[in-house]
Amino acid sequence: MALRLGDEAPDFVAPTTVGPIQFHAWLGDSWGILFSHPADYTPVCTTELGVAAKMKPLFDQRNVKLIAISVDPLRSHMGWILDINETQGIKLNFPIIADPDRTVSLLYDMIPPQATNANTVRSLFVISPAKRIELVLTYPASTGRNFNELLRAVDSLQLAAEYPVVTPANWHYGDDCIVSPAVSDTEMLKLFPKGARRVKSYLRYTPQPNA
Ligand code: BEZ
């Protein structure tokens, strides 16, 4: 069954390029991003893994662990990593799950029912330390994902987890936030010492609380 926002991220044990992983234990108290690739030795996937590896320090800063998956076996992953390192000018620095029997791919509904092969699409799940699914992305094989957008979304999720704020369209770290509709005008004055700007009863801005 499709996983929805707020569902518990299913736990599993799987072989990976850094050894077997029990997913929940591996996540520990971190946030996680689990993202699938249609297949090894494919061009778009190669660039995605290269970009993710380059940006890993930015995910580390946010306490987010990265883990990729494809339905190809471990031996194939190991050879492909050499190509990724060579062509993308990096050293892959996070695990790739090998899922040849599709256990994890089916658990996370990464293979469309009408697919003519066993390849996953580009599914991506952001998972909170409480092991809840906080964000789901599904891209087709033809379209590489934007990892800057992922960082931006993680910043928004982590902010909303800590403060009663939500973030507007095209928000970036440091921009004004929107006061959560659940907060009354009276509470707002107490909760946001940096002040708040009331445009409409339902549209109230405040400086980012932790910036
Ligand atoms: C790719 O990652 O480049 C890719 C994978 C499957 C189909 C087409 C492209």
Side-chain angles (χ1 to χ4, degrees), residues 63-125:
N63 191 30
V64 180
K65 288 184 174 175
L66 301 174
I67 186 162
I69 175 170
S70 99
V71 294
D72 288 315
L74 212 43
R75 177 194 274 267
S76 163
H77 286 359
M78 291 306 196
W80 184 34
I81 286 174
L82 299 179
D83 277 11
I84 296 169
N85 292 349
E86 178 196 329
T87 60
Q88 306 303 303
I90 46 95
K91 190 164 171 359
L92 199 79
N93 46 15
F94 54 83
I96 309 178
I97 297 167
D99 194 32
D101 61 5
R102 298 172 225 153
T103 310
V104 180
S105 306
L106 292 172
L107 199 56
Y108 277 78
D109 200 25
M110 292 166 162
I111 302 176
Q114 71 278 22
T116 51
N117 58 29
N119 291 358
T120 55
V121 288
R122 294 186 201 287
S123 298
L124 184 149
F125 299 87

Side-chain angles (χ1 to χ4, degrees), residues 38-187:
D40 293 0
Y41 295 102
T42 49
V44 178
C45 299
T46 299
T47 62
E48 285 194 322
L49 288 172
V51 165
K54 275 182 202 148
M55 292 175 68
K56 183 172 175 288
L58 299 172
F59 287 100
D60 289 344
Q61 276 172 17
R62 290 159 172 83
N63 191 30
V64 180
K65 288 184 174 175
L66 301 174
I67 186 162
I69 175 170
S70 99
V71 294
D72 288 315
L74 212 43
R75 177 194 274 267
S76 163
H77 286 359
M78 291 306 196
W80 184 34
I81 286 174
L82 299 179
D83 277 11
I84 296 169
N85 292 349
E86 178 196 329
T87 60
Q88 306 303 303
I90 46 95
K91 190 164 171 359
L92 199 79
N93 46 15
F94 54 83
I96 309 178
I97 297 167
D99 194 32
D101 61 5
R102 298 172 225 153
T103 310
V104 180
S105 306
L106 292 172
L107 199 56
Y108 277 78
D109 200 25
M110 292 166 162
I111 302 176
Q114 71 278 22
T116 51
N117 58 29
N119 291 358
T120 55
V121 288
R122 294 186 201 287
S123 298
L124 184 149
F125 299 87
V126 179
I127 297 161
S128 68
K131 314 291 181 288
R132 297 278 151 204
I133 294 180
E134 303 290 347
L135 183 147
V136 178
L137 272 184
T138 310
Y139 272 41
S142 57
T143 308
R145 287 159 287 200
N146 183 332
F147 286 78
N148 288 316
E149 166 58 8
L150 265 180
L151 275 183
R152 192 194 74 88
V154 164
D155 283 341
S156 171
L157 287 169
Q158 293 186 339
L159 197 58
E162 204 172 333
Y163 300 93
V165 294
V166 292
T167 58
N170 287 347
W171 174 86
H172 280 100
Y173 195 92
D175 291 349
D176 283 356
C177 300
I178 293 173
V179 176
S180 164
V183 173
S184 70
D185 281 351
T186 323
E187 284 172 325

Side-chain angles (χ1 to χ4, degrees), residues 9-54:
D11 198 13
F12 56 83
V13 179
T16 82
T17 50
V18 300
I21 277 180
Q22 171 126 32
F23 188 49
H24 282 195
W26 177 81
L27 283 170
D29 293 330
S30 300
W31 290 68
I33 294 183
L34 169 65
F35 59 120
S36 64
H37 295 277
D40 293 0
Y41 295 102
T42 49
V44 178
C45 299
T46 299
T47 62
E48 285 194 322
L49 288 172
V51 165
K54 275 182 202 148

